[in-house]
Amino acid sequence: MTELLRTLKFLLFSLSAGIIELGAFSLLNELTAWSYWPCYLIALVLSVLWNFTLNRRYTFQSAGNVPKAMIQVLGFYCVFTPLSTWLGGYLADTLGWNEYLVTLLNMAANFILEFLFDRFVVFRDSLDTNSVAQKHPRK
């Protein structure tokens, strides 16, 4: 039950990050003449900062080393971002796929991969250790 609740929290916070990402992407895509990749990249960075902050505190309830966790997440995005940016640019700019469809596909891949990475790499040894977890221990 604990992991189901953790997954649902991650989903809800990821949806809020998705709103930020889509909003930022839409503004940049519609109001600038930029190609796909800078719009996507800026929107992704904004959503990652939001998502990391909320999920660290409330989903994984980690009191672990914040700089270490941020570096690990940065490492994830050092792989994910170039691949998703390149693939998104190829699909949108070269093959002519709809930019919003491509962004939604990237967001779905990001959701799944980041949850797994956060749960089993970044926060695996510090789950449920912060003050939020101490006030409301899970059974």
Side-chain angles (χ1 to χ4, degrees):
M1 187 64 162
T2 298
E3 289 306 313
L4 177 61
L5 183 58
R6 191 180 319 275
T7 304
L8 290 174
K9 284 182 183 179
F10 191 85
L11 174 64
L12 291 175
F13 290 134
S14 294
L15 288 172
S16 71
I19 291 169
I20 290 169
E21 185 172 340
L22 278 175
F25 176 81
S26 297
L27 286 172
L28 294 169
N29 191 53
E30 299 301 326
L31 300 177
T32 70
W34 298 347
S35 65
Y36 175 83
W37 76 265
C39 299
Y40 168 70
L41 192 57
I42 292 168
L44 178 66
V45 168
L46 293 174
S47 74
V48 167
L49 292 171
W50 173 266
N51 207 27
F52 174 83
T53 302
L54 291 177
N55 278 311
R56 181 187 163 280
R57 177 152 175 85
Y58 297 108
T59 302
F60 301 107
Q61 299 182 349
S62 173
N65 185 320
V66 176
K68 179 182 175 187
M70 291 180 100
I71 288 169
Q72 289 174 313
V73 170
L74 176 65
F76 171 84
Y77 280 100
C78 282
V79 174
F80 180 82
T81 302
L83 290 174
S84 63
T85 302
W86 174 80
L87 180 60
Y90 178 74
L91 294 174
D93 296 335
T94 304
L95 297 183
W97 286 30
N98 180 280
E99 295 92 348
Y100 294 99
L101 172 63
V102 173
T103 300
L104 289 172
L105 291 172
N106 273 332
M107 290 171 71
N110 188 9
F111 167 75
I112 294 165
L113 295 172
E114 186 179 0
F115 177 80
L116 294 172
F117 187 79
D118 285 353
R119 171 62 182 88
F120 296 109
V121 176
V122 177
F123 301 115
R124 76 168 179 256
D125 295 329
S126 65
L127 290 172
D128 304 324
T129 58
N130 72 7
S131 61
V132 174
Q134 302 308 315
K135 288 179 187 173
H136 306 286
R138 296 181 181 181
K139 297 177 180 161

